[in-house]
Amino acid sequence: MKNIAKVLFIFLFTFFLAGWAHLENSASAAPQPNYVKDLPPGHSMHDYLLYLAKDLDAFWSPIMVGDGYADPATTYSFPAPGVPVKTNCAVEEPADFPAQAFYCGFDDQIVMTQEMARQLWDGTYRTNYEAPVTFKAGDFSVAFVMAHEYAHNLQTELGWLPVYEEEEPLATSRSLELNADCLAGVWTRSVNDRGLLDASDLNEAKRTLTDLGQDPSDPNPTHGTPQERSKAFLLGYNNGTAPSCDPYLLNPY
């Protein structure tokens, strides 16, 4: 469990005011671990989620450690259908809400239920009422959401996302979510640079951003509209570096 003391929190804020300016490593400069695009025969959704988790660790850890930050390696939980979600964060049980994906700072843990992954893969998970997109969902829809949640882990390591409610966040919820979309794009660029991404994968990520974006008329904009989320993702993907995502943290959204 992380324990971010106020003095450390303030230090990280001061040190990080320039954003990720010290993270000079480009996405393509990181080690190139194996990335599994589709479920191999005889492997489960749990296996696929674990492959993604290891790939994200292998990409972000040397970048963070190389620039003097803590290793962002985190823990994971991928509950099967009907299995309780056990964290110290307040979440609904699978019986009431079977599709869940979130980062719990109390436990330093990324949780994605296998039902959530299945619905993302099938294109049946939606949070808005826009007309369904025409292209199919697939494996990279799951990969994008995992990369987004891993980005929240990075934000916690860097002091932007507080663990405890009494700690004031250093950015709005919408800014943090769009920054996470952007950082997911940075990782996606690394997958492309390894020759493991094709046009259908990018379409899958775009579909997910469309499915999960908030209605523009929502009075409580915590995540961003489909257009805003797609723009953030493509900013990270096109630039391929974490500093390109700074504007979402340094300017209010």
Side-chain angles (χ1 to χ4, degrees):
M1 181 186 301
K2 293 187 178 74
N3 183 11
I4 303 178
K6 281 291 184 182
V7 61
L8 177 59
F9 194 71
I10 294 171
F11 168 76
L12 284 172
F13 174 60
T14 304
F15 186 64
F16 197 58
L17 274 177
W20 290 62
H22 297 289
L23 296 182
E24 300 296 338
N25 310 61
S26 70
S28 58
Q32 309 297 300
N34 292 328
Y35 175 74
V36 178
K37 290 180 61 178
D38 297 293
L39 282 176
H43 286 68
S44 67
M45 183 63 76
H46 183 279
D47 295 328
Y48 179 63
L49 294 172
L50 188 59
Y51 295 146
L52 293 173
K54 290 181 177 179
D55 192 277
L56 285 156
D57 273 337
F59 173 70
W60 285 113
S61 290
I63 293 177
M64 292 281 284
V65 173
D67 287 281
Y69 296 97
D71 189 328
T74 185
T75 59
Y76 308 92
S77 177
F78 310 126
V83 175
V85 175
K86 297 181 179 179
T87 73
N88 286 307
C89 296
V91 295
E92 298 179 72
E93 288 303 311
D96 302 315
F97 189 50
Q100 301 183 45
F102 60 92
Y103 170 71
C104 178
F106 285 115
D107 303 332
D108 190 20
Q109 180 176 210
I110 292 173
V111 176
M112 184 185 293
T113 63
Q114 293 179 45
E115 177 63 19
M116 175 70 164
R118 185 196 65 77
Q119 290 186 24
L120 287 167
W121 195 307
D122 294 344
T124 56
Y125 187 85
R126 299 182 60 79
T127 61
N128 60 48
Y129 298 98
E130 290 200 1
V133 291
T134 56
F135 41 81
K136 295 181 179 180
D139 64 315
F140 212 78
S141 293
V142 181
F144 164 76
V145 173
M146 179 70 78
H148 174 98
E149 297 305 331
Y150 195 96
H152 287 317
N153 168 46
L154 298 176
Q155 292 168 346
T156 300
E157 294 286 357
L158 292 164
W160 285 97
L161 183 62
V163 173
Y164 301 105
E165 291 184 0
E166 60 269 22
E167 294 174 333
E168 289 293 329
L170 302 181
T172 66
S173 173
R174 187 155 158 254
S175 293
L176 290 165
E177 296 297 340
L178 291 173
N179 175 258
D181 289 336
C182 185
L183 292 174
V186 173
W187 171 77
T188 301
R189 174 63 176 271
S190 80
V191 178
N192 179 73
D193 290 348
R194 285 175 259 161
L196 298 172
L197 201 71
D198 54 37
S200 66
D201 290 324
L202 283 180
N203 276 343
E204 290 166 14
K206 292 175 185 177
R207 175 190 171 119
T208 304
L209 288 159
T210 299
D211 288 346
L212 303 185
Q214 285 186 292
D215 189 315
S217 63
D218 193 321
N220 184 30
T222 59
H223 281 67
T225 66
Q227 293 74 24
E228 289 171 332
R229 299 196 67 176
S230 295
K231 181 180 179 181
F233 172 78
L234 290 174
L235 177 65
Y237 177 80
N238 289 330
N239 286 278
T241 60
S244 66
C245 302
D246 281 355
Y248 291 107
L249 296 177
L250 301 177
N251 302 303
Y253 277 82

